[in-house]
Amino acid sequence: MNYRIISVTSLMQNCCIVWCKLTRESIVIDPGGNFEKIQQELSDLDLSPVKILITHGHLDHVGAAIELSKCYKIPILGPQKLDKFLLESLLIKSKDILLKKHLDFKTHSWLEEGDKIVLGSLTFEVIHCPGHTPGHIVFFYRKGRFLISGDVIFKGGLGRTNFPKSNYKDLMNSIYMKLLPLGDDITFIPGHGSISTLGYEKINNPFLQ
Ligand SMILES: [Zn+2]
């Protein structure tokens, strides 16, 4: 598996391009903004994505999804449907502010726990990890020991739970019941900040002590 992280939006969200070395099929995960920057990176890598995956319904994770979807004529998959209210509120907000390009944001398919995304020789499993948002999902490449974790866990931090329908207890359950059991050796790319491993966070993350 190959990947490239692109920092997008003023919140420095980690948009991630992932591709299969064998088939060169690629996906874009959480294109939160800066459409031209993402497009340029894809062009530099000589990749044409086949899907867009979304971890959760916050604007800094979905902001450029529609433009990418239209440009490459590819579907948007995710998040889990409990984030529908967030995506709908983006539409309402976008009528007031200068976000007209998000007016027609909609996913082509919600994703559920256990769904699988196949990308050439790679398979990503969908794991539902509510807490930061109720419909937050993460993408796990079991064979490669690799996780795209969105805003559930960061290097040295946790996803915020002071948003509408966020829930701290759910977030901790997601981390302790679903993520940490995947194994200490799992490398994860969070939605913001540096890459880390679950084992490192278990020992060093101040919120997990
Ligand atoms: Zn978020």
Side-chain angles (χ1 to χ4, degrees):
M1 184 190 108
N2 281 349
Y3 68 88
R4 182 71 58 90
I5 295 170
I6 309 162
S7 182
V8 296
T9 81
S10 56
L11 297 171
M12 297 170 72
Q13 201 277 122
N14 290 330
C15 168
C16 196
I17 300 170
V18 175
W19 68 98
C20 169
K21 280 183 206 172
L22 299 177
T23 65
R24 297 205 45 88
E25 273 181 81
S26 61
I27 48 176
V28 180
I29 304 174
D30 284 357
N34 302 98
F35 165 71
E36 287 84 8
K37 196 175 173 185
I38 299 169
Q39 192 187 31
Q40 185 62 54
E41 196 71 44
L42 285 163
S43 160
D44 292 348
L45 293 164
D46 195 23
L47 294 171
S48 181
V50 294
K51 288 181 182 92
I52 296 163
L53 304 185
I54 303 288
T55 59
H56 67 293
H58 283 157
L59 180 60
D60 59 322
H61 292 252
V62 307
I66 285 293
E67 281 166 290
L68 274 177
S69 169
K70 284 184 176 160
C71 176
Y72 294 97
K73 298 182 176 56
I74 53 175
I76 301 170
L77 310 182
Q80 200 270 354
K81 61 178 175 292
L82 288 171
D83 271 10
K84 190 165 182 257
F85 78 102
L86 283 170
L87 297 166
E88 285 169 350
S89 76
L90 286 183
L91 307 193
I92 295 162
K93 272 188 224 155
S94 66
K95 286 178 184 164
D96 299 329
I97 51 179
L98 299 169
L99 292 170
K100 291 209 164 59
K101 62 192 176 191
H102 306 130
L103 270 175
D104 52 355
F105 182 90
K106 60 176 188 297
T107 183
H108 296 92
S109 175
W110 303 109
L111 291 173
E112 295 293 339
E113 169 102 16
D115 282 349
K116 290 192 166 59
I117 313 290
V118 177
L119 180 73
S121 63
L122 318 174
T123 300
F124 289 87
E125 299 169 33
V126 173
I127 304 175
H128 183 205
C129 288
H132 176 67
T133 69
H136 198 302
I137 52 176
V138 302
F139 302 104
F140 180 41
Y141 173 37
R142 189 177 291 274
K143 247 172 91 183
R145 315 305 290 154
F146 210 88
L147 182 70
I148 312 280
S149 66
D151 287 357
V152 176
I153 185 169
F154 304 119
K155 183 169 186 178
L158 302 178
R160 283 168 57 186
T161 51
N162 56 346
F163 294 111
K165 299 196 191 182
S166 291
N167 185 303
Y168 177 77
K169 200 168 153 241
D170 288 350
L171 182 76
M172 293 314 258
N173 270 339
S174 292
I175 292 170
Y176 278 102
M177 309 303 285
K178 292 189 166 179
L179 296 191
L180 295 184
L182 298 176
D184 291 352
D185 62 322
I186 304 297
T187 298
F188 68 89
I189 300 177
H192 305 264
S194 307
I195 289 181
S196 185
T197 65
L198 293 177
Y200 179 88
E201 295 310 308
K202 216 156 91 178
I203 295 168
N204 297 292
N205 191 315
F207 300 96
L208 300 183
Q209 306 309 314

